[in-house]
Amino acid sequence: MASILHQIAQNIGMDKAIAYTSGARIVQGISGVGTMFFLSTFLTGIEQGFYFTFGSILALQVFFELGLTGIMQQYVAHEASHLNLDENKQYQGEEQYQSRLASLVKFCLKWYSVLAGVVLVFLIIVGNIYFSKYGNSQSSSVEWKLPWIIICIGTSICIFQSPLTAILRGLGYVKDMSKIGFYGQIINPLCIWLGLVLGLKLYVMGIGFAMSVVIWQVYVIRKGLYRILTNLLKTKVSEKVNYFNEIFPYQWRIALSWISGYFIFQLFNPVLLQQREQ
């Protein structure tokens, strides 16, 4: 599949990073139709309601992340543009830019470590309260509690990985990160379909998150990209990027659009499940 995509991209003069990103979108659209078929075939109507509402409640994480990963990618790219990567996977150049780049990486890891834990607890509590209240008469026939906990754990790990993806993109590894997304769009649906056929029901969403985590982890380790992040963490920080003065003025605008997107695209699933219960 990857070789075919390379050939098509080469024939039309498309960059590999764009090819993988576009390919992932195409595969996502095609596999989405297949997923809808498997969901409608192997899940009951009630289970389908839980499945789609899971996704809408998980989307509450935007109120915590608030578009920071996209901002970080831009700032990392700006600082890295003044530096050069040597054969030992270390950035060389002016100390000022090395320090600012390292400060961004350390800030991301510290912030998202806390954020992942907070989101995990928040989602488990909110999900249990919501489904216990509005899925009362339905929950006896649907096993949702353990699948929900597994999904929340997978989501929190993905949240922790998301800034690392943004950092690596900012460092110029756009093709590699797009490649991970492309492979994920192929492997994840296949695992979900197989899980549905095997009768795993609502556990399949957790399987999807687990596959995303594994694919990302294996690829980054095999390509040696972890060495870059590790070396940046070892870099001495003498000058930091000031979050409130440099990042926040841009982030709040993106955060506002993300929050608006939740109310436009995600809120209707929890509302519909609530109305069905009533």
Side-chain angles (χ1 to χ4, degrees):
M1 177 66 75
S3 60
I4 296 174
L5 193 65
H6 284 163
Q7 187 62 44
I8 295 174
Q10 187 176 6
N11 291 338
I12 64 177
M14 182 184 291
D15 179 79
K16 289 183 179 180
I18 298 176
Y20 279 118
T21 302
S22 301
R25 295 300 183 187
I26 293 171
V27 173
Q28 182 181 25
I30 296 173
S31 63
V33 176
T35 299
M36 292 299 295
F37 168 77
F38 279 92
L39 289 174
S40 61
T41 302
F42 295 98
L43 295 183
T44 65
I46 296 174
E47 290 169 338
Q48 291 173 40
F50 274 83
Y51 182 92
F52 290 110
T53 306
F54 278 175
S56 294
I57 294 181
L58 290 177
L60 287 170
Q61 63 186 276
V62 302
F63 290 91
F64 296 88
E65 203 271 335
L66 297 176
L68 184 58
T69 52
I71 293 290
M72 282 298 167
Q73 178 177 329
Q74 305 303 319
Y75 274 85
V76 166
H78 174 73
E79 303 302 333
S81 66
H82 300 279
L83 304 171
N84 296 307
L85 187 66
D86 64 20
E87 58 185 12
N88 296 318
K89 303 293 185 181
Q90 292 182 324
Y91 278 95
Q92 303 295 335
E94 293 185 32
E95 182 180 346
Q96 171 192 357
Y97 298 112
Q98 291 186 51
S99 176
R100 286 172 61 85
L101 179 58
S103 73
L104 287 171
V105 176
K106 292 179 181 181
F107 170 77
C108 279
L109 288 180
K110 289 179 181 178
W111 174 244
Y112 277 88
S113 295
V114 175
L115 188 63
V118 172
V119 169
L120 173 62
V121 175
F122 173 80
L123 289 177
I124 289 177
I125 293 175
V126 170
N128 274 278
I129 292 174
Y130 176 84
F131 289 116
S132 295
K133 183 175 181 180
Y134 295 115
N136 238 2
S137 63
Q138 305 167 348
S139 58
S140 59
S141 60
V142 178
E143 185 180 356
W144 61 267
K145 291 187 177 180
L146 183 55
W148 176 246
I149 292 175
I150 295 173
I151 291 167
C152 291
I153 293 173
T155 300
S156 66
I157 297 174
C158 289
I159 288 175
F160 179 76
Q161 288 180 341
S162 63
L164 302 180
T165 299
I167 290 169
L168 290 170
R169 282 182 174 273
L171 293 176
Y173 294 94
V174 179
K175 186 195 76 173
D176 292 283
M177 296 301 102
S178 300
K179 203 172 185 179
I180 292 175
F182 176 72
Y183 289 148
Q185 291 298 336
I186 294 175
I187 297 174
N188 288 4
L190 294 177
C191 292
I192 291 175
W193 299 348
L194 180 61
L196 289 170
V197 171
L198 295 176
L200 296 180
K201 300 289 186 178
L202 296 178
Y203 286 95
V204 295
M205 185 177 285
I207 292 173
F209 281 108
M211 290 305 303
S212 297
V213 170
V214 171
I215 292 170
W216 189 95
Q217 201 78 16
V218 170
Y219 188 93
V220 170
I221 291 175
R222 288 191 62 185
K223 287 291 183 178
L225 301 180
Y226 255 129
R227 289 180 58 195
I228 299 175
L229 299 174
T230 302
N231 288 332
L232 285 172
L233 288 173
K234 295 177 181 178
T235 302
K236 182 180 178 181
V237 176
S238 56
E239 181 178 336
K240 297 181 179 180
V241 175
N242 189 292
Y243 171 77
F244 289 102
N245 292 337
E246 300 183 58
I247 297 177
F248 185 73
Y250 297 99
Q251 185 189 358
W252 75 265
R253 294 174 173 85
I254 296 177
L256 187 61
S257 68
W258 279 38
I259 293 173
S260 300
Y262 178 84
F263 289 108
I264 295 171
F265 299 110
Q266 299 293 341
L267 188 61
F268 62 88
N269 281 328
V271 172
L272 286 176
L273 186 66
Q274 174 188 351
Q275 292 299 320
R276 178 169 182 168
E277 175 61 21
Q278 293 176 347

